[in-house]
Structures are given as structure tokens and as C-alpha cells.
Amino acid sequence: MSEETDAITRIVPDRRRPDRLLIERNGLPWLRLSALRISELDVRTGEVLTPERRARLEHAAAVEEAIEAALRLLAARPRSEAELARRLRQKGFRDAVVQEVMTKLRALGYVDDRAFVAFWVAQRRTSRPRGIAALRQELRAKGITDELIEAAVTHDAEEEFSAALALAQKHLGRLQQHDRVTQERRVIGLLQRRGFSWSVIRRVVREVFSGKAGDDDFPLAD
């Protein structure tokens, strides 16, 4: 079909999406846009489409779809900017669409790396304790800058020890059928996987086992 006959033929309610209108192009379903966006873009039945106009409308539809996808992801849990952008790209949205969506969400306060770091640190401390090194590594993997990480994740040896001790004591209840050496090894392995330092692990083992594990019989060496 020639560009001269490339036109919007109908704008009708979308049966599958009550919050969207279906735009038909040359008699076939083409795009879905909100009524507000259609009004803002002045989309009209009978409009002849240039390649530039067609690309603009397709971009607008993709942005609306990506915003919905982003909000669904954020409804599950807070996410860092880099993490959210990565997930949108994985869903097939183009970089230009992702960048516009991130700008909109940032302006609305839906994404905020500083707030995300505070959430993540609090969540880890209360439900899934981590050593400082592991916590920092997790945040870096989510695209958080070193500056924000250093501001939020400060090293407190006693706090890290308390978190590791509570985790070990909770885990120990599942190990009562094992001998002491096996219990120690299991506790050490758990704390090591959670990123606690060896100095913290040594203190925890001595505390948990009431001083029965001395330096000479500590299961694993530094």
C-alpha cells in the first residue's frame, strides 16, 4: 500500500483493554493508546500517516505499554533504576522507550535509588541477614553506585556479629540430630554463603557452641 493511502481508518474501544482505544490502520488493528494520549497527540480517524507520524504514534504506544510493565514490576517490590531498565529491555522494549519511561517514573518518584537502597538494607537486616561485603555486592549487582552504597552500608562490627549470631542460632535448631562438628560446619557454611567475614564467623561459632570450639579444633581455617 502506498504512503498516500496509509491512514487511520477507525478508533474504537478495545474489548480486551477497557482503559485503551484501538486504532485501526488501513482497516486492520494497529495500536492501543489511552484516550488521554490520543487526545494529546490529536489522533483522528481519516488521518493520512507519514512515516514520521507513524513512528511517533508507535513510540507513544510502546511507552504506555512499557510504563504499565514497569508499574507491575514495581508493585511486586521496589527496584533500582538499573534493575528496572534491564527488566524492560528484557521484555523487548527499545532503549529510546526505556529511557523515556525511566525519566517519567523518576519525575513521579516511582524510582529512587536512594530510597531503594534504604529498603534493601532494611529488608536484608530483618529477614535475610547478609555480611557487609555480600550486601554491598548485591547492591552493586543492582546497579547502585558506590557512593550510595558507602553512604547506606556502613561497617558496624557488633551489628554484623549480632545479625550473624541470630542467623546461626535460628539455623542451629534444624541441626540437633547432627554431631557438634557437623553442626559447626553447617553453621560456618551458612554464614560464609551469606557473606560474613571469618572474624565474625569465628566469634559466632564460639558463642553458639559455648566456647567448645577452640582455635585448635575450629573446622575450617582462615
Side-chain angles (χ1 to χ4, degrees):
M1 183 174 291
S2 67
E3 290 185 1
E4 289 74 17
T5 58
D6 191 7
I8 294 174
T9 47
R10 277 208 315 168
I11 302 174
V12 297
D14 188 347
R15 295 179 181 178
R16 295 185 300 172
R17 296 286 306 276
D19 60 332
R20 292 287 189 270
L21 294 176
L22 176 63
I23 302 173
E24 293 185 359
R25 172 181 161 216
N26 305 323
L28 298 173
W30 179 39
L31 298 177
R32 291 172 174 85
L33 279 170
S34 65
L36 176 61
R37 199 73 181 108
I38 284 176
S39 176
E40 291 174 345
L41 293 169
D42 194 25
V43 183
R44 300 181 182 183
T45 299
E47 177 184 355
V48 174
L49 298 167
T50 63
E52 293 77 14
R53 175 66 164 169
R54 188 168 64 242
R56 185 183 181 194
L57 296 181
E58 288 172 345
H59 176 81
V63 167
E64 283 201 333
E65 184 181 351
I67 287 175
E68 284 203 353
L71 293 178
R72 286 194 297 270
L73 290 168
L74 291 170
R77 67 165 174 80
R79 297 174 191 270
S80 68
E81 290 190 23
E83 182 185 14
L84 185 58
R86 182 170 61 248
R87 289 295 302 274
L88 291 177
R89 291 187 180 97
Q90 289 171 351
K91 289 179 177 292
F93 295 105
R94 295 179 293 107
D95 283 347
V97 171
V98 173
Q99 290 172 11
E100 183 171 336
V101 168
M102 297 306 298
T103 298
K104 290 178 181 292
L105 294 178
R106 197 179 301 116
L108 292 169
Y110 284 107
V111 288
D112 180 338
D113 276 354
R114 198 175 299 274
F116 172 79
V117 170
F119 156 80
W120 194 261
V121 171
Q123 188 266 351
R124 282 303 191 226
R125 285 174 176 166
T126 56
S127 62
R128 294 182 62 82
R130 292 284 190 277
I132 296 299
L135 185 55
R136 287 172 174 168
Q137 184 177 0
E138 282 186 342
L139 291 170
R140 288 191 185 97
K142 293 186 177 299
I144 303 301
T145 65
D146 286 342
E147 181 182 2
L148 286 180
I149 292 172
E150 291 303 317
V153 186
T154 56
H155 186 267
D156 186 322
E158 290 307 311
E159 182 179 338
E160 187 173 15
F161 169 70
S162 296
L165 178 61
L167 179 62
Q169 289 172 330
K170 180 180 179 180
H171 188 66
L172 191 62
R174 309 169 189 169
L175 303 174
Q176 295 307 309
Q177 73 275 23
H178 298 290
D179 59 67
R180 181 176 62 82
V181 172
T182 300
Q183 290 178 12
E184 289 179 5
R185 289 185 180 276
R186 296 281 180 88
V187 168
I188 289 169
L190 171 66
L191 297 180
Q192 186 181 21
R193 290 192 298 274
R194 292 292 184 91
F196 290 101
S197 67
W198 277 110
S199 61
V200 167
I201 293 174
R202 280 187 179 277
R203 287 184 63 191
V204 168
V205 168
R206 292 188 181 113
E207 178 73 20
V208 167
F209 296 98
S210 303
K212 294 178 182 179
D215 287 337
D216 293 338
D217 60 355
F218 195 80
L220 296 177
D222 282 359

